[in-house]
């Protein structure tokens, strides 16, 4: 092996080289830049309480919202089913954004195609694009189902998905028996969790209706089965954790929407388009299960209504079960739905996590934290913070708006905060963005921020360490492989947070280095 080392600088160091510094200086003559003093004054003003007041008064513009658009969520939902190809009815650029966003988080390719709508389709409609696209997708990628979602362009001009798919069948582009499910997912309303919910409901309802079966909960050959829906789940490790828990109960179950295979696939020299996923034949059978367990009740609002209303099934709905108390509720829900006792192995695991809480409590007690995330994740994080003695101060949810029962969600959050003295200083911000969070961090400082990679810019401006939890996490690797739900997830979260706190203690030490903490 050659001893010569390749020098491949990271862009952070690359752009400090003289040639790039000079290039930036030369560009200024075309940009009419502000002076260094003007920039310093503007920066100082943006950090002031006066600016914060104006920042919170703005209505007409959103700056760095903590959410993505609907089709992104619908693609994740589609990839949760066996040999299903997501099909975006819109432009190639939109589809590229969704694919890259998901791939950058999971570090895995995201298979998805589009109808490649351009200016002429925006004027005359995208039916011919969809018909050609469906025919090509089946021929090239050989899926067993295609799941169609829409972008802004298709929604604004009013393309009728049901009619277009029907016309594609009439023209022979796809056969009559080939399943093509769909959901309307306009990007100008809602968010990624809305799109996920719409597509999951579309797949479940359309596959069930195609089967011609009648829902009869608990009466099938495997009527004792339990349906489990994790929701918009950015942690593939959470799928493994829920399987571990259900296997400990020794109960049969079907995970409806399991994208973990596609986003945790092996590198064995052969790339495939489809890995794992819920079997299509299991979806109609799911209507005869004993009940359904939902782990993101605010995300899966429409899907819950469908399962409860059409399948007539008992639905036990929780928010993301983070921490010991939330996992206790998860096990109680499984026990109630199945009639089975909580296994001794899980009780023992619980005890080990409580012991770990005790070990780390002195370093977490009283830490003030800011939280940003999706509605169900935030409820889980708040509960976790309260039980380890951390104090939520700023709680920001960009997509906790009216469409997600924003008022109801906020009331549940405030009720949860009221159960502990550690929640007394918290304020909940619904529909606000990360530029609002920046003002909060600068003017009412905290010890830690917890949220996705997008939070790091506000956290850096305020000099606050960031604990990366949620979606997306672009700037760290493999975090999605570790569960954050269940007792094991509680231990993982505890380990992540307390070690960041210990890192800060080491970084800020004053010369008296303590080896043992």
């Amino acid at each position: 092996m050659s001893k010569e080392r390749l020098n491949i600088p990271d862009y952070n160091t690359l752009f400090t080289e003289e040639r790039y510094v000079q290039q930036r200086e030369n560009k200024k003559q075309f940009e009419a830049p502000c002076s260094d003093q003007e920039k310093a004054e503007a920066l100082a003003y943006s950090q002031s309480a006066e600016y914060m007041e104006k920042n919170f008064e703005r209505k007409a513009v959103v700056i760095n919202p903590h959410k993505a658009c609907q089709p992104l969520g619908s693609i994740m939902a589609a990839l949760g089913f066996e040999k299903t190809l997501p099909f975006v009815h819109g432009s190639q650029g939109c589809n590229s954004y969704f694919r890259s966003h998901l791939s950058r988080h999971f570090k895995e390719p995201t298979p998805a195609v589009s109808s490649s709508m351009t200016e002429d389709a925006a004027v005359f409609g995208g039916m011919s694009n969809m018909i050609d696209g469906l025919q090509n997708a089946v021929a090239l990628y050989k899926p067993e189902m295609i799941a169609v979602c829409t972008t802004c362009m298709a929604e604004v001009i009013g393309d009728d998905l049901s009619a277009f798919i029907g016309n594609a069948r009439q023209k022979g582009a796809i056969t009559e028996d080939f399943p093509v499910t769909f959901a309307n997912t306009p990007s100008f309303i809602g968010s990624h969790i809305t799109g996920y919910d719409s597509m999951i409901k579309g797949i479940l309802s359309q596959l069930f209706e195609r089967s011609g079966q009648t829902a009869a909960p608990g009466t099938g050959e495997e009527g004792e089965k339990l349906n489990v829906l994790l929701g918009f789940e950015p942690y593939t490790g959470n799928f493994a954790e829920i399987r571990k828990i259900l296997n400990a109960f020794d109960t049969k179950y079907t995970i409806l929407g399991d994208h973990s295979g596609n986003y945790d696939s092996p590198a064995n020299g052969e790339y495939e388009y489809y890995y794992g996923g819920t079997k299509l034949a299991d979806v109609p059978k799911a209507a005869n299960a004993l009940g359904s367990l939902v782990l993101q009740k605010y995300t899966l609002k429409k899907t819950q209504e469908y399962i409860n209303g059409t399948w007539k099934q008992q639905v036990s709905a929780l928010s993301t079960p983070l921490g010991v108390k939330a996992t206790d509720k998860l096990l109680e829900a499984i026990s109630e739905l199945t009639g089975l006792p909580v296994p001794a192995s899980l009780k023992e695991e619980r005890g080990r996590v409580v012991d770990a809480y005790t070990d780390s409590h002195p370093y977490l007690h009283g830490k003030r934290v800011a939280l940003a995330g999706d509605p169900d994740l935030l409820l889980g994080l708040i509960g976790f913070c309260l039980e380890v003695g951390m104090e939520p101060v700023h709680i920001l949810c960009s997509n906790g708006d009216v469409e997600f029962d924003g008022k109801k969600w906020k009331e549940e959050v405030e009720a949860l905060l009221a159960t502990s003295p550690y929640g007394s200083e918290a304020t909940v911000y619904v529909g606000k963005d990360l530029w609002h969070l920046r003002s909060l961090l600068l003017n009412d400082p905290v010890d830690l921020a917890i949220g996705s990679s997008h939070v790091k810019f506000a956290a850096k401006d305020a000099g606050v360490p960031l604990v990366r939890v949620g979606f997306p996490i672009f700037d760290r690797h493999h975090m999605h492989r570790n569960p954050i739900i269940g007792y094991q997830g509680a231990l993982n979260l505890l380990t992540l947070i307390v070690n960041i706190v210990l890192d800060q203690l080491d970084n800020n030490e004053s010369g008296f280095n303590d080896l043992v903490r």
Side-chain angles (χ1 to χ4, degrees):
M1 179 183 290
S2 171
K3 292 184 178 180
E4 293 183 10
R5 299 181 64 180
L6 290 175
N7 181 23
I8 305 176
D10 181 87
Y11 71 88
N12 283 298
T13 55
L14 175 68
F15 293 142
T16 62
E17 294 180 6
E18 178 59 29
R19 54 177 170 156
Y20 292 107
V21 172
Q22 190 59 50
Q23 186 182 71
R24 289 195 296 275
E25 287 298 316
N26 292 339
K27 284 177 64 180
K28 288 183 179 180
Q29 62 183 303
F30 305 106
E31 296 173 348
C34 297
S35 67
D36 290 343
Q37 180 180 348
E38 289 172 321
K39 287 187 287 186
E41 290 173 353
L43 177 61
Y45 177 62
S46 75
Q47 297 171 341
S48 67
E50 180 186 355
Y51 178 82
M52 176 176 168
E53 184 178 350
K54 291 186 176 181
N55 189 16
F56 271 80
E57 288 175 354
R58 65 180 159 89
K59 305 292 184 185
V61 66
V62 176
I63 305 173
N64 199 8
H66 199 265
K67 61 181 179 179
C69 50
Q70 286 202 53
L72 183 145
S74 72
I75 289 174
M76 180 187 279
L79 291 174
F81 293 84
E82 183 182 42
K83 293 184 178 178
T84 296
L85 181 65
F87 185 109
V88 177
H89 184 44
S91 71
Q92 288 181 339
C94 289
N95 191 36
S96 296
Y97 157 65
F98 308 137
R99 294 176 63 196
S100 66
H101 211 73
L102 290 164
S103 296
R104 287 160 65 200
H105 173 83
F106 290 108
K107 307 298 185 280
E108 296 279 355
T110 298
V113 299
S114 82
S115 56
S116 301
M117 292 175 67
T118 53
E119 290 85 350
D120 57 344
V123 176
F124 301 109
M127 184 173 70
S128 62
N129 293 65
M130 177 176 283
I131 292 173
D132 291 344
L134 290 173
Q135 186 173 25
N136 291 337
V138 172
L140 289 171
Y141 305 114
K142 298 177 173 52
E144 293 187 1
M145 180 171 78
I146 288 178
V148 180
C149 63
T150 51
T151 64
C152 297
M153 186 192 302
E155 288 293 328
V156 167
I157 63 178
D159 279 0
D160 187 333
L161 296 185
S162 180
F164 287 7
I165 294 167
N167 290 337
R169 295 191 194 280
Q170 289 179 8
K171 291 179 179 293
I174 49 175
T175 61
E176 287 293 335
D177 60 345
F178 184 84
V180 179
T181 61
F182 64 89
N184 293 95
T185 54
S187 299
F188 46 77
I189 58 171
S191 71
H192 54 283
I193 63 176
T194 324
Y196 183 92
D197 187 22
S198 296
M199 182 57 79
I200 285 286
K201 181 197 171 189
I203 290 172
L204 298 186
S205 61
Q206 291 160 34
L207 287 182
F208 177 69
E209 289 166 10
R210 284 176 62 87
S211 73
Q213 296 184 24
T214 302
T219 63
E221 292 180 4
E222 296 178 306
E224 72 277 16
K225 267 193 173 183
L226 184 66
N227 297 325
V228 183
L229 298 93
L230 277 75
F232 184 94
E233 182 50 77
Y235 288 83
T236 57
N238 283 350
F239 288 90
E241 186 65 18
I242 196 65
R243 286 193 186 92
K244 184 191 83 174
I245 291 170
L246 292 166
N247 290 337
F249 272 91
D250 195 24
T251 186
K252 297 177 181 177
Y253 59 91
T254 301
I255 296 178
L256 296 176
D258 180 1
H259 52 264
S260 62
N262 274 300
Y263 285 123
D264 199 8
S265 58
N268 54 16
E270 296 288 336
Y271 174 69
E272 299 178 14
Y273 296 115
Y274 318 106
Y275 294 89
T278 305
K279 293 185 181 299
L280 303 186
D282 285 346
V283 174
K285 295 177 185 177
N288 294 334
L290 204 59
S292 291
L293 177 66
V294 171
L295 301 189
Q296 290 184 12
K297 63 183 181 182
Y298 285 100
T299 296
L300 291 167
K301 185 169 175 262
K302 296 175 184 175
T303 304
Q304 290 175 76
E305 291 171 354
Y306 173 77
I307 292 173
N308 187 258
T310 302
W311 290 1
K312 306 298 181 185
Q313 254 178 39
Q314 180 182 354
V315 177
S316 183
L318 309 170
S319 285
T320 310
L322 306 184
V324 170
K325 289 182 180 178
T327 302
D328 291 347
K329 290 181 180 179
L330 170 64
L331 302 191
E332 289 167 5
I334 295 171
S335 181
E336 182 181 343
L337 284 169
T338 62
L340 298 169
V342 176
S345 62
L346 295 179
K347 293 180 181 179
E348 184 177 345
E349 186 180 13
R350 182 187 193 277
R352 290 196 294 269
V353 177
V354 172
D355 180 68
Y357 273 21
T358 307
D359 297 337
S360 300
H361 180 262
Y363 295 97
L364 298 182
H365 177 266
K367 292 294 182 186
R368 289 162 51 87
V369 296
L371 306 169
D374 293 338
D376 290 295
L377 178 65
L378 282 173
L379 277 164
L381 285 172
I382 293 165
F384 175 84
C385 288
L386 296 179
E387 68 186 24
V388 298
M390 294 193 295
E391 301 179 11
V393 178
H394 311 304
I395 300 169
L396 184 140
C397 187
S398 285
N399 56 7
D401 52 25
V402 175
E403 193 162 344
F404 302 109
D405 287 333
K407 182 179 179 182
K408 181 180 176 182
W409 177 80
K410 186 176 181 181
E411 288 173 352
E412 183 173 353
V413 170
E414 291 174 341
L416 175 59
L417 293 165
T419 64
S420 169
Y422 300 118
S424 61
E425 299 299 318
T427 304
V428 183
Y429 300 93
V430 176
K432 299 300 182 183
D433 56 47
L434 296 182
W435 195 248
H436 291 113
L437 181 63
R438 177 181 179 273
S439 286
L440 292 169
L441 294 178
L442 287 164
N443 287 276
D444 188 3
V446 295
D447 299 300
L448 294 167
I450 303 178
S452 76
S453 292
H454 288 308
V455 178
K456 82 173 182 179
F457 304 106
K460 276 193 171 186
D461 282 355
V464 176
L466 172 63
V467 180
R468 288 163 174 80
V469 178
F471 178 85
I473 297 176
F474 291 152
D475 56 343
R476 296 293 184 272
H477 284 212
H478 311 305
M479 295 182 72
H480 68 277
R481 301 179 191 274
N482 299 316
I484 62 171
I485 67 170
Y487 296 130
Q488 181 60 51
L491 182 58
N492 291 343
L493 270 180
L494 178 74
T495 304
L496 174 65
I497 295 172
V498 75
N499 283 331
I500 287 178
V501 171
L502 294 175
D503 278 343
Q504 288 299 111
L505 287 173
D506 284 344
N507 292 338
N508 298 330
E509 58 87 16
S510 57
F512 301 96
N513 242 333
D514 187 1
L515 183 63
V516 181
R517 291 199 184 275

